[in-house]
Protein backbone atom coordinates (compact mmCIF):
# COMPACT_ATOMS: atom_id res chain seq x y z
CA UNK A 1 0.00 0.00 0.00
CA UNK A 2 1.12 3.54 -0.72
CA UNK A 3 2.54 5.49 2.20
CA UNK A 4 0.96 8.79 1.12
CA UNK A 5 -2.46 8.71 -0.50
CA UNK A 6 -4.52 11.49 -2.02
CA UNK A 7 -8.22 11.59 -2.83
CA UNK A 8 -9.63 12.24 -5.30
CA UNK A 9 -7.04 11.62 -8.02
CA UNK A 10 -8.95 13.69 -10.53
CA UNK A 11 -11.66 16.28 -10.04
CA UNK A 12 -13.61 18.63 -12.27
CA UNK A 13 -15.53 21.43 -10.61
CA UNK A 14 -17.14 24.73 -11.48
CA UNK A 15 -16.17 28.26 -10.58
CA UNK A 16 -17.46 29.23 -7.14
CA UNK A 17 -17.75 25.72 -5.78
CA UNK A 18 -16.11 24.63 -2.56
CA UNK A 19 -13.85 21.63 -2.93
CA UNK A 20 -11.74 19.59 -0.53
CA UNK A 21 -8.68 17.53 -1.36
CA UNK A 22 -7.63 14.94 1.17
CA UNK A 23 -4.27 13.46 2.11
CA UNK A 24 -3.52 10.53 4.37
CA UNK A 25 -0.19 9.02 5.35
CA UNK A 26 0.97 5.88 7.08
CA UNK A 27 4.60 6.92 7.47
CA UNK A 28 4.12 8.23 10.99
CA UNK A 29 5.53 11.62 10.01
CA UNK A 30 4.63 14.74 11.92
CA UNK A 31 5.15 17.21 9.06
CA UNK A 32 2.77 17.49 6.12
CA UNK A 33 2.70 19.83 3.14
CA UNK A 34 0.46 20.88 0.26
CA UNK A 35 1.96 22.00 -3.06
CA UNK A 36 0.58 22.93 -6.43
CA UNK A 37 2.40 22.23 -9.67
CA UNK A 38 1.97 24.36 -12.76
CA UNK A 39 3.87 23.88 -16.03
CA UNK A 40 7.12 25.83 -16.02
CA UNK A 41 6.76 26.88 -12.39
CA UNK A 42 7.78 23.74 -10.54
CA UNK A 43 6.14 23.07 -7.19
CA UNK A 44 4.99 25.91 -4.98
CA UNK A 45 4.14 25.51 -1.31
CA UNK A 46 0.57 26.34 -0.31
CA UNK A 47 0.42 25.35 3.36
CA UNK A 48 2.42 23.21 5.74
CA UNK A 49 1.87 21.72 9.17
CA UNK A 50 4.50 20.59 11.65
CA UNK A 51 1.99 18.94 13.95
CA UNK A 52 -1.75 18.87 14.57
CA UNK A 53 -1.72 22.25 16.32
CA UNK A 54 0.73 23.97 13.98
CA UNK A 55 -0.43 25.28 10.59
CA UNK A 56 1.60 27.68 8.47
CA UNK A 57 1.05 29.54 5.22
CA UNK A 58 3.33 28.87 2.31
CA UNK A 59 4.14 31.17 -0.57
CA UNK A 60 0.74 30.94 -2.31
CA UNK A 61 -1.92 30.42 0.39
CA UNK A 62 -4.50 32.96 -0.86
CA UNK A 63 -7.76 31.24 -1.81
CA UNK A 64 -6.88 28.07 0.09
CA UNK A 65 -7.39 26.76 3.62
CA UNK A 66 -6.27 23.60 5.37
CA UNK A 67 -7.26 21.34 8.22
CA UNK A 68 -5.01 18.91 10.11
CA UNK A 69 -7.54 16.49 11.49
CA UNK A 70 -4.98 14.07 12.90
CA UNK A 71 -1.30 13.34 12.60
CA UNK A 72 -2.04 11.23 9.54
CA UNK A 73 -4.55 13.49 7.76
CA UNK A 74 -4.16 16.90 6.14
CA UNK A 75 -6.90 18.37 3.95
CA UNK A 76 -6.76 21.26 1.52
CA UNK A 77 -9.88 23.29 0.73
CA UNK A 78 -10.62 25.72 -2.03
CA UNK A 79 -13.35 27.90 -0.54
CA UNK A 80 -14.58 29.27 -3.85
CA UNK A 81 -12.77 27.68 -6.76
CA UNK A 82 -11.58 29.81 -9.67
CA UNK A 83 -10.15 28.72 -13.04
CA UNK A 84 -6.57 29.75 -12.22
CA UNK A 85 -6.60 27.17 -9.44
CA UNK A 86 -6.58 24.51 -12.14
CA UNK A 87 -3.39 22.60 -11.37
CA UNK A 88 -1.85 19.39 -10.11
CA UNK A 89 -1.86 19.28 -6.30
CA UNK A 90 0.57 17.26 -4.25
CA UNK A 91 0.65 16.31 -0.61
CA UNK A 92 3.96 15.46 1.02
CA UNK A 93 5.22 14.36 4.42
CA UNK A 94 8.52 14.46 6.28
CA UNK A 95 9.91 13.43 9.62
CA UNK A 96 11.00 16.05 12.15
CA UNK A 97 14.64 15.10 11.97
CA UNK A 98 14.87 15.08 8.20
CA UNK A 99 13.98 17.40 5.39
CA UNK A 100 13.40 14.57 2.95
CA UNK A 101 9.82 14.81 1.74
CA UNK A 102 7.72 11.93 0.47
CA UNK A 103 5.02 12.72 -2.04
CA UNK A 104 1.58 11.41 -2.78
CA UNK A 105 0.48 10.60 -6.35
CA UNK A 106 -1.20 13.97 -6.86
CA UNK A 107 -4.71 15.26 -7.54
CA UNK A 108 -5.42 16.79 -10.91
CA UNK A 109 -8.00 19.57 -10.50
CA UNK A 110 -9.82 21.32 -13.31
CA UNK A 111 -11.93 24.38 -12.49
CA UNK A 112 -14.32 25.35 -15.26
CA UNK B 1 16.24 34.08 0.24
CA UNK B 2 16.66 30.58 -1.04
CA UNK B 3 16.16 29.93 -4.73
CA UNK B 4 16.79 27.14 -7.21
CA UNK B 5 17.40 27.47 -10.93
CA UNK B 6 17.29 24.69 -13.46
CA UNK B 7 18.56 26.41 -16.62
CA UNK B 8 17.37 23.75 -19.05
CA UNK B 9 13.61 23.49 -19.44
CA UNK B 10 13.80 20.64 -21.94
CA UNK B 11 16.62 18.23 -22.87
CA UNK B 12 16.68 15.50 -25.49
CA UNK B 13 19.30 12.75 -25.46
CA UNK B 14 19.71 9.51 -27.34
CA UNK B 15 19.29 6.24 -25.51
CA UNK B 16 22.68 5.09 -24.25
CA UNK B 17 24.13 8.59 -24.21
CA UNK B 18 25.30 10.31 -21.04
CA UNK B 19 23.15 12.85 -19.26
CA UNK B 20 23.79 15.89 -17.12
CA UNK B 21 20.98 18.04 -15.71
CA UNK B 22 22.01 21.34 -14.21
CA UNK B 23 20.89 22.84 -10.93
CA UNK B 24 22.09 26.05 -9.32
CA UNK B 25 20.97 27.23 -5.93
CA UNK B 26 21.16 30.34 -3.83
CA UNK B 27 21.50 29.91 -0.09
CA UNK B 28 23.77 31.49 2.49
CA UNK B 29 24.73 28.38 4.42
CA UNK B 30 25.23 24.76 3.51
CA UNK B 31 21.94 23.59 2.10
CA UNK B 32 20.27 20.26 1.95
CA UNK B 33 19.92 19.35 -1.75
CA UNK B 34 17.59 16.93 -3.47
CA UNK B 35 16.75 15.57 -6.89
CA UNK B 36 13.26 14.21 -7.52
CA UNK B 37 11.87 12.56 -10.64
CA UNK B 38 8.29 12.69 -11.84
CA UNK B 39 7.23 10.14 -14.41
CA UNK B 40 4.14 10.94 -16.49
CA UNK B 41 1.02 10.73 -14.35
CA UNK B 42 3.00 9.93 -11.23
CA UNK B 43 4.02 11.67 -8.04
CA UNK B 44 7.55 12.74 -7.21
CA UNK B 45 10.10 10.08 -6.33
CA UNK B 46 13.32 10.90 -4.51
CA UNK B 47 16.40 10.09 -6.62
CA UNK B 48 19.10 11.23 -4.21
CA UNK B 49 19.96 13.79 -1.56
CA UNK B 50 22.94 15.61 -0.14
CA UNK B 51 23.11 16.65 3.48
CA UNK B 52 26.85 16.64 4.26
CA UNK B 53 30.03 14.65 3.76
CA UNK B 54 31.10 13.22 0.42
CA UNK B 55 30.15 15.70 -2.27
CA UNK B 56 29.43 12.95 -4.82
CA UNK B 57 26.22 11.18 -3.92
CA UNK B 58 24.78 8.07 -5.47
CA UNK B 59 21.08 7.59 -5.98
CA UNK B 60 18.61 5.14 -7.35
CA UNK B 61 18.33 4.08 -11.00
CA UNK B 62 22.03 4.69 -11.64
CA UNK B 63 21.94 8.44 -11.03
CA UNK B 64 24.56 10.46 -9.19
CA UNK B 65 24.98 14.12 -8.33
CA UNK B 66 27.90 16.27 -7.28
CA UNK B 67 27.69 19.15 -4.83
CA UNK B 68 30.06 21.98 -5.79
CA UNK B 69 29.98 24.70 -3.18
CA UNK B 70 32.19 27.07 -5.19
CA UNK B 71 29.75 26.96 -8.09
CA UNK B 72 26.55 26.69 -6.01
CA UNK B 73 25.63 23.72 -8.13
CA UNK B 74 24.22 20.24 -7.68
CA UNK B 75 24.15 18.68 -11.14
CA UNK B 76 22.57 15.32 -11.79
CA UNK B 77 24.35 12.80 -14.00
CA UNK B 78 23.85 9.39 -15.51
CA UNK B 79 26.43 7.63 -17.71
CA UNK B 80 23.94 5.84 -19.98
CA UNK B 81 20.34 6.90 -20.32
CA UNK B 82 17.54 4.38 -20.75
CA UNK B 83 14.23 5.07 -22.47
CA UNK B 84 12.48 4.67 -19.11
CA UNK B 85 14.37 7.71 -17.79
CA UNK B 86 12.12 10.00 -19.83
CA UNK B 87 10.44 12.13 -17.16
CA UNK B 88 10.52 15.51 -15.47
CA UNK B 89 13.31 16.15 -13.00
CA UNK B 90 13.20 18.60 -10.13
CA UNK B 91 16.04 19.95 -8.05
CA UNK B 92 15.14 21.22 -4.57
CA UNK B 93 16.94 22.95 -1.72
CA UNK B 94 16.19 22.80 1.99
CA UNK B 95 17.42 25.05 4.75
CA UNK B 96 20.14 22.70 6.00
CA UNK B 97 20.85 22.50 9.69
CA UNK B 98 18.19 25.04 10.58
CA UNK B 99 15.73 22.35 9.49
CA UNK B 100 12.75 24.52 8.70
CA UNK B 101 11.19 21.57 6.93
CA UNK B 102 10.55 23.60 3.79
CA UNK B 103 11.87 22.88 0.31
CA UNK B 104 12.24 25.26 -2.58
CA UNK B 105 11.90 23.60 -5.97
CA UNK B 106 13.36 24.52 -9.32
CA UNK B 107 11.18 24.88 -12.38
CA UNK B 108 11.92 21.37 -13.58
CA UNK B 109 13.71 19.87 -16.59
CA UNK B 110 11.83 17.61 -18.97
CA UNK B 111 13.98 14.80 -20.35
CA UNK B 112 13.11 13.21 -23.67
CA UNK B 113 14.97 10.07 -24.73
CA UNK B 114 15.36 9.29 -28.44
CA UNK B 115 15.55 5.64 -29.56
Amino acid sequence: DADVTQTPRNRITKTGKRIMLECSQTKGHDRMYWYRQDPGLGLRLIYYSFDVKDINKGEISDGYSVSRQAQAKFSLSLESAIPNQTALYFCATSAIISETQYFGPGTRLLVL
Amino acid sequence: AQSVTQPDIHITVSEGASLELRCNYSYGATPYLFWYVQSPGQGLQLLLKYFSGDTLVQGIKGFEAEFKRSQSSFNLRKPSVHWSDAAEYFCAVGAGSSNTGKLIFGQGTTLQVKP
Side-chain angles (χ1 to χ4, degrees):
Chain A
D1 289 337
D3 295 318
V4 185
T5 58
Q6 294 182 234
T7 56
R9 293 294 311 278
N10 295 278
R11 180 71 183 268
I12 300 173
T13 192
K14 295 182 178 180
T15 297
K17 294 292 187 181
R18 185 178 190 274
I19 183 171
M20 179 181 288
L21 309 183
E22 298 186 341
C23 176
S24 295
Q25 54 112 347
T26 58
K27 299 187 75 67
H29 289 167
D30 286 304
R31 296 179 172 182
M32 299 186 73
Y33 310 81
W34 275 105
Y35 293 90
R36 65 175 281 174
Q37 182 184 13
D38 300 277
L41 296 179
L43 277 75
R44 292 179 293 166
L45 184 62
I46 306 172
Y47 270 95
Y48 60 104
S49 169
F50 284 178
D51 65 40
V52 174
K53 297 179 181 179
D54 181 67
I55 304 289
N56 304 279
K57 293 183 177 180
E59 59 179 302
I60 53 163
S61 59
D62 288 348
Y64 300 96
S65 63
V66 291
S67 174
R68 186 80 184 267
Q69 301 95 324
Q71 186 206 36
K73 296 184 181 296
F74 192 36
S75 300
L76 176 72
S77 293
L78 285 66
E79 300 302 325
S80 179
I82 57 177
N84 77 0
Q85 291 177 313
T86 292
L88 183 56
Y89 290 85
F90 286 105
C91 174
T93 74
S94 69
I96 290 176
I97 61 171
S98 168
E99 294 194 4
T100 302
Q101 294 187 14
Y102 297 88
F103 286 80
T107 294
R108 191 169 295 279
L109 176 65
L110 174 61
V111 183
L112 300 175
Chain B
Q2 296 168 261
S3 66
V4 179
T5 301
Q6 294 179 243
D8 304 305
I9 296 174
H10 193 276
I11 284 183
T12 300
V13 300
S14 298
E15 190 169 16
S18 63
L19 172 70
E20 182 170 31
L21 302 182
R22 296 184 291 165
C23 173
N24 295 101
Y25 68 90
S26 173
Y27 184 64
T30 300
Y32 289 176
L33 294 161
F34 305 82
W35 275 100
Y36 285 87
V37 60
Q38 183 183 22
S39 298
Q42 304 295 315
L44 277 72
Q45 180 183 20
L46 180 68
L47 280 176
L48 48 77
K49 60 188 177 185
Y50 172 79
F51 283 2
S52 65
D54 192 346
T55 57
L56 184 63
V57 293
Q58 302 298 320
I60 62 171
K61 305 184 179 185
F63 285 92
E64 66 178 25
E66 186 171 13
F67 170 56
K68 293 186 177 180
R69 184 189 304 273
S70 61
Q71 299 177 19
S72 297
S73 69
F74 188 58
N75 294 348
L76 182 71
R77 300 193 295 249
K78 187 170 185 178
S80 178
V81 170
H82 188 263
W83 63 266
S84 61
D85 293 323
E88 189 162 19
Y89 292 81
F90 291 95
C91 181
V93 60
S97 58
S98 63
N99 197 9
T100 65
K102 293 165 61 178
L103 296 182
I104 304 297
F105 285 83
Q107 304 91 325
T109 298
T110 298
L111 173 65
Q112 183 180 359
V113 180
K114 295 190 300 184

